[in-house]
Amino acid sequence: MMHLTLYRGGRAPVPISQDDFETWDSVADSIEDLVSREYEDKLDMLAFAPHRLREPYRNLANVIEVTMMVIDVDVCDANKLARYLDTLGIDALMYGSPSDDLTKSNERRVRVVAPTDKPIDVASCGPCRLSFAEALGLYPGCGVEGALDASRLFFAGRLKGTPPREVWRFKANE
Amino acid sequence: VTLKVDDLPAPTLDWKGTHAKRTPRPGTSPHLARAHALAERLEPSVSGHDGDNSLFKAACELATVLHEDADAIETVLLETYNPRCQPPWPGVKIKREAERAAKREDAPEMRWARRHASFLPEPAPAPVFVTSGDIIDWNAPEQPIDWYCKGLSIAPSERKITIIGGDPGSGKGPLADYLATCFALGLDVFNAFPVKQCNVGILDFEGARLTARRIRSHVRGLGHEPAELTGRLIVRDTEPSEMIEIGWLHDWIAGANIEVLIIDSYMSAMACSDADPNSPEYAALARALGALKIVAIAIAHARKRGADRRGDRPSLGDIAGSYALGGMAATAIAVWNPDDEDRMLCRIGCMRAPDEPFATIDVRWTKGGAEDTPLWIPKLLGTSTRESREARADADLRKANDITLSKHTLKIMRHMALNPATPQSVNAISKSTGIHHRYVGLVLGAMARAGYAYHDADGSGRGAGYYTLDAEHVVSDIMIRDGEAMIAPEPEAGEHLGKFRKPST
């Protein structure tokens, strides 16, 4: 069962919603919806985390498990990353982060979200993310190592006046 | 299909402390140091010793560390690798090889091939289709094979096709066109094998003009007029860029009452698809043709074979796409030229048949008619079995007169001298030396008659045909004179014959 915990702004540790999802498509639709939203201030921006909390308060000690694979990439060639994801042949979604700059094709900031066959335990979250990043042809310095712990949240959306964020969806090989 | 968490391998790269630098990888960092260390260990490229290849290999090795960063690969090659090369490469060459290696590395498949992608989700299991199928009634009368040309084992097949395969230029196309003519006019193939007269269709993907010219030539050569083919033999000049539309094919075959369909060639027909010749998709057209339940003949190319196998009979495994296409053959006919010097001599063999395979047939494409319009027809030279071929080879050998086999003798002697006391069979020596067993037999026979070797027919208990070298004697030459092998006379003083010397022990 996939789980999305939603926060408003990076400084609010109390989630505004915690939802279970039966299917990957419904998760992807929700994230895509979050990405399409526009905000006046980053403090209002919604962020999600794939973790399930013991108590409704965001800190590492409260995280029971991480229900999906999410990596935060600060520097990458989005097209190349998309090619790797395509090669993997798994369900996945990639979206431009709020600070993504479309004009710098080799320095795109994106997030990759992918369902996993079972929840990731808190201790393995970091290594799993790094391993997934390596599988996608990413290297140290790309920013993945900056968001390894299980309590991390990921912003989705854009600030007013910036262009819409790009979203790539990858279908698993049948 | 999801990522398998348990199967994700531990990260292999050094991720510690790199985040703060926000370096967009390779360039600096541990990678470059690793690459330099690697470059110091790599085998330097030396002129005259496949230096180009060594350089590219080195660049590829570096790319495993620096990935698709061509600039970094170039830097490492220039700074660390190139000074060790003899002579050092110019910068332009280094740059080009670095770019090549980076480009190669850039392909995701390369990374996937190298890495153990154990965490990749297993592909979804292929759906299992279970069809009821018709049950064979053992009480029903047996259905005989509906031969269209029994001499060449051609018959319509349920779900399979007939393949004519062979080397380029071996005469597959002319043979198929000739067969089409025979089917259309009801003439015996090679004047020897009766056919069932029927309408024939040819889908020519390789240019129908030549096909039409050939067929006209065959028809006239057989004493008929091309006009007689009207409505009986339909040749379509088909674009190789178009896939055959099976629905259209069904309609065409039914409308024209075609019973024999020739595809020239299968490879050209499949050229517009991306199917790999060894993938099951490659056989899709064959499956569709097989479902027509007519005689579908596909011309297939054989793979290039080594010089040592040229002139040999191609096997079904030599036919391009054999893994996919070969499996679809009910009848497979091999066409090859046994003699490279004589391209008009054509040998036709059976690689697969629904019943007993037909004996190998030798035909010669013979020119007839006026010089300006040569009419080529195949003339049957005879069928050959293994025994008859060997008898012919024997006869050829016996015809030879005064042939000196010194080279073979030396080779055989050298081989036998390695184990002088061990009885060795003709076949074993033939295999080890690469000399035809008949020559080995001749040489050893002559040596045994002259007392230079012992022929152990059955005394050793190892069976007939074993020879032991007499260590006391050395033979320099065997001659064949009047069909008999004998020891050549000793050379005159000063005459150099490359005499074999027994190695000192």
Side-chain angles (χ1 to χ4, degrees), chain A residues 74-75 80 83-84 87-88 90-91 109 115-118 127 130-132 134-135 139-141 143 145-146 172-173, chain B residues 1-6 8-9 11-15 18-19 22-25 67-68 106 108 111-112 119-121:
Chain A
D74 288 343
V75 186
K80 197 172 285 180
R83 239 171 54 205
Y84 276 86
T87 314
L88 255 178
I90 54 166
D91 281 320
R109 291 173 172 237
T116 52
D117 62 336
K118 66 174 200 175
L130 291 178
S131 178
F132 184 53
E134 286 184 13
Y139 306 88
E145 59 273 50
N173 292 337
Chain B
V1 182
T2 50
L3 277 177
K4 289 188 169 179
V5 175
D6 287 341
L8 278 166
T12 54
L13 301 176
D14 180 11
W15 292 83
T18 51
H19 181 50
R22 294 183 62 86
T23 314
R25 74 177 147 87
H67 305 285
E68 63 265 41
D106 192 26
R111 288 181 57 75
W112 290 114
F119 55 90
L120 275 175

Side-chain angles (χ1 to χ4, degrees), chain A residues 8 33-47 156-161:
Chain A
R8 186 173 296 282
D33 174 49
L34 292 175
V35 175
S36 66
R37 297 188 189 191
E38 190 183 72
Y39 302 92
E40 291 280 351
D41 192 332
K42 194 171 179 183
L43 286 174
D44 297 329
M45 193 177 280
L46 293 180
R158 64 188 167 98
L159 290 173
K160 196 170 181 185

Side-chain angles (χ1 to χ4, degrees), chain B residues 248-259:
Chain B
W248 166 83
L249 193 59
H250 265 282
D251 294 345
W252 178 50
I253 285 167
N257 198 20
I258 287 168
E259 291 176 56

Side-chain angles (χ1 to χ4, degrees), chain B residues 328-373:
Chain B
M328 293 303 299
T331 302
I333 298 169
V335 184
W336 73 103
N337 300 116
D339 184 359
D340 251 1
E341 302 293 316
D342 185 359
R343 305 294 286 179
M344 293 297 123
L345 177 63
C346 185
R347 195 161 279 172
I348 300 162
C350 182
M351 297 189 281
R352 184 181 283 178
D355 205 347
E356 191 184 345
F358 60 85
T360 304
I361 300 163
D362 280 351
V363 295
R364 176 175 292 286
W365 289 95
T366 316
K367 207 196 259 188
E371 270 306 305
D372 54 337
T373 54

